[in-house]
Amino acid sequence: MTPLLSVLTAVLARVGALLAVASVAVIGPARLREAWGGVRERIWDARRAVAVLCAVLLVSAVGRGSLQVVSELFGLQATALIYTLEGGFVAWIQATFATPALTAYFSWVYVYGYAFLLAFPVVVYLALPRTTTLRRVLVAYALNYGIGLALYTAVFAHGPRNVMPDMVTPLLFTNHPNVTLLASEVNVNTNVFPSLHTSLAVTVGTFAVLTRDEYPRWTPVAVWLSLSVVVATMYLGIHWLTDVVAGFALAFGSVALAYRTVDPRSDPGVSHEDPGDEPPPSEPNAGD
């Protein structure tokens, strides 16, 4: 087994175990059995949102190299500007708080916790009788990736570990070198503004707060993991604070656009006279 396949297998195995445990704890065995009967119909109902997300991910995978060249040649050279804005903030975080225990925790969160955080909403909202929330989540994911890819092309910047190698240690890759193999397959070190780890994690946390009546056990877990991912991006030396702030803005904007794009009345289980859903929030807030 190649090192890359070994890392990928480990991620899939651990995330799969987390999904199984969380499904039983959050959704419940009885609700899972009930939901299983109509899962094919709900997947079919969400097919357009799935197709949009898959299309965005395909464009990102195929065009990443070419867009990286465009960004380097024509994008806004923002590294110096970001460093001027915040200086050694990330270096201060590491110098002040770094410990072996925290490094182990945030490394786990950045890889395994993040993957679980993105995957579980698909499971938990697929179990609902209506697909409105599931489709909104998938559209929000697509918006995050699509807008993020456009910003990565428009803004060329290096992360703090590349700019301040004597002050910022790449803790994730230093302590888990095999993760570099996986990271290199999905990202490059100039894709920093905005932080998609932040935006997608906060997107999940926001949806968890907005659906807390349906899944009250999921909300505190999602918010805690979301905030942990946000901190991990800086603690591990991967992103600037500026990237994180932009990630929050992208997350809230994507959720708001998803609510406006996905009309609950388009759900087969909702009549046009009685949408049975809350109106879209003007300013969604993840409570963090």
Side-chain angles (χ1 to χ4, degrees):
M1 182 180 294
T2 64
L4 175 59
L5 185 58
S6 177
V7 173
L8 185 58
T9 301
V11 171
L12 292 176
R14 296 182 187 185
V15 171
L18 288 171
L19 289 174
V21 172
S23 295
V24 173
V26 173
I27 304 172
R31 196 169 185 179
L32 281 171
R33 287 193 296 269
E34 181 182 351
W36 181 251
V39 69
R40 290 184 180 180
E41 290 77 6
R42 289 192 292 278
I43 291 174
W44 178 253
D45 293 341
R47 66 191 181 281
R48 293 184 179 86
V50 173
V52 169
L53 177 57
C54 289
V56 172
L57 292 176
L58 181 62
V59 169
S60 177
V62 173
R64 187 187 308 120
S66 299
L67 293 176
Q68 176 67 19
V69 174
V70 172
S71 177
E72 187 171 358
L73 293 175
F74 305 107
L76 173 65
Q77 303 295 311
T79 305
L81 175 60
I82 293 173
Y83 181 73
T84 300
L85 283 174
E86 63 181 78
F89 179 76
V90 172
W92 172 80
I93 288 179
Q94 285 196 351
T96 305
F97 301 105
T99 65
L102 280 178
T103 299
Y105 171 71
F106 284 122
S107 297
W108 181 91
V109 162
Y110 191 84
V111 179
Y112 304 108
Y114 175 71
F116 163 73
L117 193 63
L118 295 193
F120 190 60
V122 177
V123 176
V124 80
Y125 298 131
L126 186 59
L128 293 176
R130 296 171 179 172
T131 62
T132 301
T133 302
L134 173 63
R135 289 182 289 129
R136 283 173 172 168
V137 167
L138 295 175
V139 168
Y141 282 179
L143 288 167
N144 272 283
Y145 279 111
I147 297 171
L149 185 62
L151 289 172
Y152 284 160
T153 305
V155 179
F156 184 85
H158 287 283
R161 71 188 187 278
N162 304 117
V163 176
M164 301 178 288
D166 56 332
M167 300 171 63
V168 176
T169 303
L171 293 173
L172 175 64
F173 305 127
T174 299
N175 291 276
H176 303 278
N178 286 344
V179 174
T180 307
L181 300 172
L182 184 60
S184 64
E185 292 294 320
V186 298
N187 210 346
V188 295
N189 60 9
T190 55
N191 284 355
V192 296
F193 181 89
S195 166
L196 275 186
H197 261 68
T198 294
S199 69
L200 287 163
V202 173
T203 293
V204 173
T206 302
F207 272 104
V209 171
L210 293 172
T211 59
R212 59 190 178 277
D213 290 339
E214 288 285 353
Y215 294 114
R217 293 181 181 177
W218 170 234
T219 304
V221 175
V223 171
W224 175 262
L225 274 179
S226 297
L227 293 177
S228 293
V229 169
V230 170
V231 175
T233 62
M234 295 180 288
Y235 177 93
L236 298 173
I238 297 170
H239 282 287
W240 305 93
L241 174 62
T242 303
D243 306 330
V244 168
V245 172
F248 269 89
L250 177 56
F252 294 148
S254 295
V255 174
L257 283 172
Y259 265 79
R260 286 165 173 75
T261 303
V262 179
D263 189 340
R265 290 174 296 180
S266 63
D267 194 308
V270 180
S271 67
H272 290 282
E273 291 77 15
D274 180 18
D277 206 343
E278 295 294 328
S282 58
E283 294 183 0
N285 191 325
D288 47 51

